[in-house]
Every structure is written in structure tokens, then in C-alpha cells.
């Protein structure tokens, strides 16, 4: 935890805790519900949008990684801190963009499941 800016993480901690709680509630509801409903799909979308906003805020926050992290990594990899800083930022960006991609895929998957289950119900009522 000392590698990150305490101010930025402590201000985001309540939002992160709220999103984790909502994610647990949604997962419980998913396991209880026999099929995907519109309410479940939109709840999943709202939570995914909130996670995406939080991740973007973390990526755009310049005080996320303190400068002395570059010194520590420079000692580990035996390079200068100026060489390490762009690589650390690139790693953070790649991880952040991968997280955003998975949340977008999860949101689309929820609506795809809803559409598939609704079409199965419509086909069953036609027969």
C-alpha cells in the first residue's frame, strides 16, 4: 500500500467498497434468479459503468503512483528511474484498459443472455 498515493486511494475507498457490496448483491441475485431479467441486465450494466468510471479515474489520476516507486523498480531492474517511469505507466494503462474491456464485455454478455432467454421463451409460447 505504500507504493500508492494514500490520499487518492483513501478517497476512492468508500466508492470501491460500495461497488464491491453491490457486486456481491448482484451475484447473489444472479444465483437466485432462474433466468436473466431486464432488471438484472440493467443492474449489471449500472455496476459495470460505475466500475469503468472508477477505473478511468484511477488511470487519469497522476498521484496514483508515487515517484519513489520508480526508484525501487530501477534498483530491482538495474536501470535508471527515467527509463522505468514510462514502463510503469504503460503497465498501469494496460491493466486498466483490460479491466475496462472486461467490464464492457460483461455488460454486453448480460444483455445477450437476456435476449437469448427472451427469444427462447417466445419460441416456446409459439409452439
Amino acid at each position: 500500500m505504500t507504493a500508492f498515493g494514500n490520499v487518492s486511494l483513501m478517497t476512492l475507498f468508500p466508492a470501491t467498497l460500495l461497488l464491491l457490496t453491490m457486486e456481491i448483491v448482484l451475484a447473489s441475485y444472479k444465483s437466485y434468479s432462474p433466468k436473466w431479467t431486464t432488471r438484472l441486465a440493467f443492474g449489471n450494466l449500472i455496476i459495470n459503468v460505475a466500475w469503468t468510471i472508477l477505473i478511468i479515474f484511477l488511470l487519469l489520476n497522476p498521484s496514483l503512483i508515487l515517484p519513489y516507486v520508480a526508484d525501487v523498480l530501477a534498483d530491482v531492474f538495474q536501470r535508471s528511474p527515467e527509463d522505468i517511469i514510462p514502463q510503469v505507466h504503460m503497465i498501469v494503462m494496460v491493466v486498466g484498459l483490460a479491466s475496462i474491456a472486461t467490464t464492457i464485455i460483461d455488460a454486453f454478455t448480460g444483455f445477450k443472455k437476456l435476449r437469448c432467454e427472451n427469444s427462447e421463451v417466445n419460441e416456446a409460447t409459439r409452439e
Side-chain angles (χ1 to χ4, degrees), residues 2 5 15 17 25-26 33 45 49 61 81 83 85 88 98 109 116 123:
T2 59
L17 191 61
V25 168
L26 184 71
S33 179
L45 176 68
V49 167
N61 190 354
D83 292 339
I85 289 174
V88 170
T109 303
C116 288
E123 290 175 7

Side-chain angles (χ1 to χ4, degrees), residues 41-83:
F42 277 109
N44 189 36
L45 176 68
I46 290 170
I47 289 174
N48 284 327
V49 167
W51 276 116
T52 304
I53 290 170
L54 183 68
I55 291 168
I56 289 171
F57 182 75
L58 283 171
L59 290 177
L60 297 177
N61 190 354
S63 66
L64 176 64
I65 298 177
L66 296 176
Y68 69 87
V69 173
D71 294 332
V72 171
L73 290 176
D75 288 339
V76 170
F77 293 111
Q78 298 174 353
R79 299 179 73 182
S80 69
E82 292 80 23
D83 292 339

Side-chain angles (χ1 to χ4, degrees), residues 5 9 11 17 23 29 45 57 60 75 90 117 119:
L9 287 181
T11 56
L17 191 61
E23 192 77 44
Y29 185 72
L45 176 68
F57 182 75
L60 297 177
D75 288 339
M90 186 171 26
E117 288 181 2
S119 66

Side-chain angles (χ1 to χ4, degrees), residues 5 7 17 24-25 28 38 48 50 69-70 80-81 94-95 99 105-106 118:
V7 175
L17 191 61
I24 291 170
V25 168
S28 299
T38 306
N48 284 327
V69 173
S80 69
V94 166
V95 169
S99 299
I105 290 169
D106 184 42
N118 283 343

Side-chain angles (χ1 to χ4, degrees), residues 55 59 87-103:
I55 291 168
L59 290 177
Q87 293 171 353
V88 170
H89 285 297
M90 186 171 26
I91 290 170
V92 170
M93 285 297 188
V94 166
V95 169
L97 291 175
S99 299
I100 290 171
T102 56
T103 57

